[in-house]
Amino acid sequence: MKILVVGAGATGGYFGARLAQADKDVTFLVRPRRAAALRERGLRLTGLGQEETITPRLVTAGELSGPYDLVLLSVKATALDQALDDIAPAVGPGTAIVPLLNGLAHLRQLNARFGEEAVLGGVARIITTLNGEGDIVRLAPVASLSIGEQKGGPSPRVAAIAAELGDAGIDTQQPADILSAMWSKWVLISALAGLTCLMRGTTGDVAAVPGGRDFVAALLAESAGVAAAAGHPVPKGELDAVAAMLTKAGSPLTASLYRDVTLGAPTEVEHVFGDLVARARLLSVATPLLDLATLSLRVHEHRTAAG
């Protein structure tokens, strides 16, 4: 299976590295600056007591030729428009595109550009970040992918992709309803990002102060309420697990979106929050805390754009 990994950041870089280590036919599509750094240092995985260096096969947008069997799309939502143009030469009649972005807004764009039949649903569950040198730092052991047809149900191509990923040691699930799985991830990400961005601290910091745990519960209830109204309720067991994770004493956990804020970088506010609160309005779901997080991050975007 000929695989193109779009982006060699904290998520795509990790899963692509695992494919490369298993001698799969995998190529990374990266920007010229990232390509230069990777050619000089290699693709490095650190954290959790591991130090690994991969020599990746790289291409830049102008070097793509011919279709790939599988495109793993792992870019920030802010880079999605450019990425769609970049991957166009790699998408043929038999190409399967698996986006690993947060939220669901990207499905509309991908479907419009390449057709719904070419686009699968995807969920990445991993806690990683890039350090100052561009190395991928694992912050927790969790590392899994879920893929599925947007219309639901099993399919031969999903099974084939899962087998290829599984052969590389990647924990790959095939949920019957990938859209519900994507909603569940969206609920987690919006609650985690809203919590850490509004409170300007780790989940452990919030849990340690009076009212912190109640705030977590209220924010999570809003996110889950939107999912339920949209027809994708998150099972109680999953919500309880998320609540436990977000209120764990002493936890250093933060959202990648919060880390972007602390760096003064652009964020995925519209993809993670703007789209969610817009759907909430259409579904008549009140989301005062999510609205506040959205406003706060839009102010950050305004200030960032103004320099």
Side-chain angles (χ1 to χ4, degrees):
M1 186 176 290
K2 190 178 180 183
I3 304 171
L4 181 69
V5 177
V6 185
T11 298
Y14 174 81
F15 290 113
R18 293 298 180 229
L19 289 165
Q21 287 175 319
D23 293 323
K24 299 300 182 181
D25 185 357
V26 59
T27 302
F28 292 85
L29 173 61
V30 293
R31 300 286 180 215
R33 184 175 179 181
R34 180 64 166 154
L38 291 173
R39 290 188 176 111
E40 179 181 349
R41 289 176 49 81
L43 180 57
R44 301 189 178 195
L45 307 180
T46 69
L48 305 183
Q50 295 179 319
E51 296 286 339
E52 303 169 278
T53 302
I54 312 300
T55 302
R57 183 188 305 149
L58 306 172
V59 294
T60 55
E63 299 169 338
L64 274 178
S65 62
Y68 285 73
D69 300 307
L70 172 63
V71 175
L72 289 178
L73 182 59
S74 179
V75 297
K76 292 279 191 180
T78 51
L80 182 58
D81 289 342
Q82 183 62 55
L84 298 189
D85 290 336
D86 292 345
I87 68 173
V91 180
T95 302
I97 304 170
V98 178
L100 301 176
L101 287 77
N102 295 318
L104 278 89
H106 58 278
L107 289 183
R108 289 195 296 266
Q109 291 178 260
L110 284 162
N111 291 345
R113 181 68 179 267
F114 300 109
E116 185 176 347
E117 291 302 317
V119 183
L120 300 177
V123 174
R125 292 188 181 275
I126 187 169
I127 303 176
T128 50
T129 190
L130 293 182
N131 64 17
E133 296 179 310
D135 301 336
I136 298 168
V137 182
R138 296 188 70 191
L139 304 175
V142 60
S144 69
L145 294 176
S146 295
I147 59 174
E149 301 285 351
Q150 292 187 56
K151 296 178 180 178
S155 78
R157 68 169 175 173
V158 168
I161 293 168
E164 187 79 355
L165 298 174
D167 191 51
I170 298 171
D171 179 9
T172 308
Q173 308 298 319
Q174 304 173 61
D177 184 353
I178 190 64
L179 293 183
S180 286
M182 293 174 70
W183 268 102
S184 292
K185 172 75 178 294
W186 200 1
V187 167
L188 164 62
I189 290 298
S190 59
L192 173 59
L195 172 66
T196 54
C197 288
L198 283 175
M199 296 296 104
R200 295 295 193 268
T202 68
T203 57
D205 292 332
V206 178
V209 301
R213 291 173 181 268
D214 290 339
F215 182 80
V216 172
L219 188 57
L220 184 57
E222 285 189 11
S223 297
V226 182
H232 298 277
V234 181
K236 184 179 184 303
E238 288 188 32
L239 284 177
D240 289 345
V242 171
M245 180 180 70
L246 297 182
T247 55
K248 182 179 179 181
S251 173
L253 183 63
T254 60
S256 61
L257 197 151
Y258 169 71
R259 295 192 290 273
D260 289 338
V261 169
T262 62
L263 292 172
T267 72
E268 297 181 305
V269 54
E270 297 304 332
H271 207 73
V272 174
F273 288 103
D275 188 35
L276 188 62
V277 298
R279 292 174 190 247
R281 298 293 82 76
L282 292 174
L283 296 166
S284 300
V285 178
T287 54
L289 296 178
L290 291 172
D291 293 345
L292 181 61
T294 305
L295 179 60
S296 173
L297 289 165
R298 282 173 173 164
V299 171
H300 167 81
E301 294 298 312
H302 174 76
R303 291 172 61 87
T304 300

